């Protein structure tokens, strides 16, 4: 999203080969895996169409929301990208791929693939859920029901994109949240 963050064309075979070689470079040096930032936005529309304007956006709102991401996120080809990374990952023992994915539960779980995509597509739904038992239970039940067979569930209560968990829910609830992550 910044000039310092190049948006590469993974459809170009030379770019793909070069980037997978970068992954191998770091694996050979002993890294345990990768957390892939906004991985669901890597593969864009093959026709490179512009995203349409968001008719509900108003000045003062987040500029990112000015356009509807119809052509720039979660394109069907993203699963090819996920599998390319996983195939490269699996050339090495005991490595993990984690994907940052802000999507619906039904879309997040597709990024596990058939065990051939991300080991852990981040599940940020607890960050976005009202912190009360019925709301939490509903999200937990919906997510766990949607998980593919043999998929590891994961939960995130905070990250660099949101206010700290304890600041949002208070110290007493923060302790409960930490216990929830351990269950």
């Amino acid at each position: 999203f910044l000039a310092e963050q190049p948006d590469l064309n993974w459809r170009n075979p030379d770019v793909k080969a070069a980037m997978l070689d970068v992954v191998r470079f770091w694996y050979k040096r002993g890294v345990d895996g990768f957390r892939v930032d906004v991985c669901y936005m890597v593969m864009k529309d093959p026709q490179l169409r512009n995203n349409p304007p968001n008719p509900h956006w108003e000045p003062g709102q987040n500029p990112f929301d000015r356009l509807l991401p119809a052509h720039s996120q979660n394109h069907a080809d993203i699963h090819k990208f996920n599998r390319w990374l996983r195939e490269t990952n699996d050339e090495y023992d005991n490595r993990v791929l984690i994907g940052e994915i802000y999507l619906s539960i039904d879309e997040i779980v597709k990024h596990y693939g058939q065990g051939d995509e991300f080991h852990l597509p981040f599940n940020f739904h607890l960050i976005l859920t009202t912190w009360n038992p019925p709301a939490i239970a509903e999200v937990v039940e919906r997510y766990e029901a949607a998980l593919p067979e043999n998929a590891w569930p994961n939960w995130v209560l905070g990250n660099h994109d949101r206010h700290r968990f304890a600041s949002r829910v208070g110290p007493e609830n923060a302790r409960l949240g930490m216990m929830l992550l351990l269950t």
Side-chain angles (χ1 to χ4, degrees):
F1 304 109
L2 302 172
E4 297 82 10
Q5 296 174 309
D7 195 3
L8 303 174
N9 178 4
W10 279 82
R11 294 178 195 287
N12 179 313
D14 294 334
V15 170
K16 173 187 162 191
M19 292 308 298
L20 293 177
D21 282 345
V22 169
V23 170
R24 290 181 186 98
F25 171 90
W26 287 107
Y27 278 149
K28 289 175 185 172
R29 278 149 186 79
V31 300
D32 291 322
F34 286 94
R35 175 210 183 270
V36 184
D37 198 42
V38 293
C39 60
Y40 63 108
M41 293 187 187
V42 170
M43 299 293 278
K44 309 297 188 284
D45 176 67
Q47 298 172 39
L48 300 176
R49 292 175 285 183
N50 291 330
N51 284 325
N54 179 350
H56 304 292
W57 185 85
E58 296 179 12
Q61 292 179 332
N62 185 339
F64 179 79
D65 296 328
R66 189 176 202 143
L67 301 174
L68 298 173
H71 304 299
S72 62
Q73 84 175 24
N74 213 35
H75 188 275
D77 287 351
I78 195 59
H79 298 285
K80 289 181 188 178
F81 167 78
N82 294 352
R83 287 189 296 275
W84 296 334
L85 277 183
R86 182 61 181 264
E87 288 167 5
T88 304
N89 176 89
D90 290 351
E91 294 170 13
Y92 303 85
D93 292 331
N94 301 315
R95 309 303 165 98
V96 66
L97 285 175
I98 301 170
E100 182 194 33
I101 302 174
Y102 281 99
L103 293 172
S104 70
I105 287 173
D106 290 338
E107 290 300 315
I108 290 170
V109 298
K110 292 177 184 176
H111 288 264
Y112 285 100
Q114 300 297 311
D116 59 350
E117 295 186 36
F118 283 95
H119 294 98
L120 298 170
F122 272 141
N123 171 9
F124 292 111
H125 283 268
L126 285 182
I127 290 178
L128 308 171
T129 299
T130 304
W131 194 252
N132 68 56
I136 294 166
E138 189 274 327
V139 167
V140 169
E141 290 169 8
R142 195 163 33 99
Y143 174 65
E144 291 189 351
L147 283 171
E149 189 173 335
N150 299 317
W152 286 11
N154 68 90
W155 299 98
V156 179
L157 294 176
N159 69 5
H160 62 279
D161 291 326
R162 304 283 188 236
H163 294 293
R164 292 184 181 268
F165 180 63
S167 299
R168 290 193 328 266
V169 301
E172 302 81 17
N173 285 322
R175 290 174 57 97
L176 289 171
M178 296 302 108
M179 184 179 71
L180 176 66
L181 288 181
L182 295 173
T183 62

